[in-house]
């Protein structure tokens, strides 16, 4: 399966922005790219009045391959809370085999699938499952989005350790400057460059409103990425 799984140091760090940016960049190399959000917590009405989720719509807007919402977002949970709680409230059990089969179906309809995780890497998805189990099940190389804010170095190093503990491949990481007030941003990036063996794929400036095409122009993807 050709694709990447975009994970974050936390929720709200720019996974959706980076996933959309990756879709734009990969769309320059491939005819059909599609975004997938396996588990979305927080449903709202889209422009047509149908229930959807902001991240799902963001990924769809950056996709060039059309695919059914049931594949692009197999689990749409109502409440914008931890997915294991939202699923419990909705009476839904997140099933890994179903999620993987949706990803495989999308793969057959596109050249590359960019999958966005929920929350941080170990976000609980059910009674025992969490985001790391999803990463293992999908068997895709990972891209870690580091939202630059105080505490992000610890979060980034813990996430790298957890990725390695699962035997997963980190294809690269992206620094996203989500907090313009954060001091020593460059020194933080330099520490991560020294401590993370995988390449830094981009340094996304703070920009309001954020724009996935502008973010895409800041990504440096190695040839053949994400294979
Ligand atoms: N580089 C950036 N500059 C300004 N705002 C950003 C940037 N990256 C993300 N944001 C904002 O931060 C919030 C979280 O970003 P998002 O991509 O939704 O994160 P995640 O998918 O990890 O939850 C959003 O409101 C988004 O618009
Ligand atoms: Mg998101």
């Amino acid at each position: 399966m050709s694709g990447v799984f975009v994970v974050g140091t936390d929720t709200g760090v720019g996974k959706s922005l980076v996933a959309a940016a990756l879709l734009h960049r990969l769309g320059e190399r491939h005819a059909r790219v599609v975004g997938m959000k396996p588990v979305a917590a927080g449903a709202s009405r889209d422009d047509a009045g149908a229930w959807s989720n902001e991240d799902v719509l963001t990924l769809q807007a950056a996709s060039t391959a059309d695919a059914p919402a049931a594949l692009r977002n197999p689990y749409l949970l109502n409440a914008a809370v931890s997915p294991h709680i939202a699923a419990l409230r909705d009476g839904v059990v997140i099933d890994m085999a179903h999620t993987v089969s949706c990803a495989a179906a999308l793969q057959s309809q596109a050249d590359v699938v960019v999958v966005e995780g929920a929350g941080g890497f170990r976000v609980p998805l059910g009674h025992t499952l969490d985001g790391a189990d999803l990463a293992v099940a999908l068997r895709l190389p990972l891209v870690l989005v580091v939202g630059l804010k105080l505490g992000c170095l610890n979060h980034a190093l813990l996430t790298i350790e957890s990725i390695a503990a699962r035997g997963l491949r980190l294809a690269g990481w992206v620094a996203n400057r989500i907090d313009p007030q954060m001091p020593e941003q460059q020194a933080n990036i330099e520490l991560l460059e020294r401590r993370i063996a995988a390449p830094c794929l981009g340094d996304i400036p703070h920009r309001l409103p954020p724009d996935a095409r502008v973010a895409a122009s800041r990504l440096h993807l190695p040839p053949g990425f994400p294979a």
Side-chain angles (χ1 to χ4, degrees):
M1 183 184 286
S2 176
V4 278
F5 186 32
V6 179
V7 298
T9 44
D10 199 353
T11 188
V13 293
K15 295 184 304 295
S16 299
L17 180 71
V18 169
L22 282 167
L23 284 164
H24 287 307
R25 281 312 290 271
L26 291 166
E28 295 165 9
R29 299 179 182 177
H30 303 276
R32 301 169 307 158
V33 296
V34 70
M36 179 189 192
K37 177 90 183 177
V39 181
S44 53
R45 299 264 190 197
D46 68 13
D47 291 342
W51 285 106
S52 190
N53 164 273
E54 237 179 80
D55 289 8
V56 176
L57 297 172
T58 297
L59 297 179
Q60 187 181 16
S63 299
T64 57
D66 202 17
L71 295 182
R72 290 184 288 102
N73 173 223
Y75 295 101
L76 174 59
L77 307 170
N78 274 301
V81 297
S82 176
H84 79 290
I85 299 171
L88 199 63
R89 282 202 201 165
D90 288 353
V92 168
V93 175
I94 294 166
D95 181 73
M96 285 296 157
H98 176 64
T99 306
V100 170
S101 79
C102 289
L106 276 184
Q107 174 59 28
S108 70
Q109 299 178 23
D111 304 308
V112 187
V113 180
V114 175
V115 183
E116 183 193 342
F121 185 60
R122 293 291 311 266
V123 66
L125 298 176
H127 191 56
T128 58
L129 289 176
D130 68 38
D133 300 308
L134 176 59
V136 169
L138 288 172
R139 303 170 56 117
L140 293 173
L142 303 178
V143 169
L144 174 65
V145 179
V146 179
L148 288 188
K149 60 182 174 185
L150 221 50
C152 71
L153 299 179
N154 173 54
H155 283 155
L157 297 175
L158 284 172
T159 307
I160 297 293
E161 189 173 275
S162 186
I163 288 169
R166 300 291 182 125
L168 296 165
R169 188 166 84 80
L170 184 67
W173 60 282
V174 174
N176 186 28
R177 301 190 186 232
I178 47 171
D179 176 9
Q181 307 302 328
M182 185 204 183
E184 301 289 355
Q185 294 181 32
Q186 203 53 40
N188 275 254
I189 291 174
E190 284 165 15
L191 180 286
L192 292 173
E193 280 173 335
R194 287 198 301 275
R195 300 269 184 104
I196 302 178
C200 179
L201 302 174
D203 174 354
I204 315 285
H206 187 265
R207 184 187 186 279
L208 288 176
D211 183 314
R213 286 193 187 275
V214 173
S217 72
R218 307 298 286 253
L219 293 178
H220 309 285
L221 306 183
F225 177 90

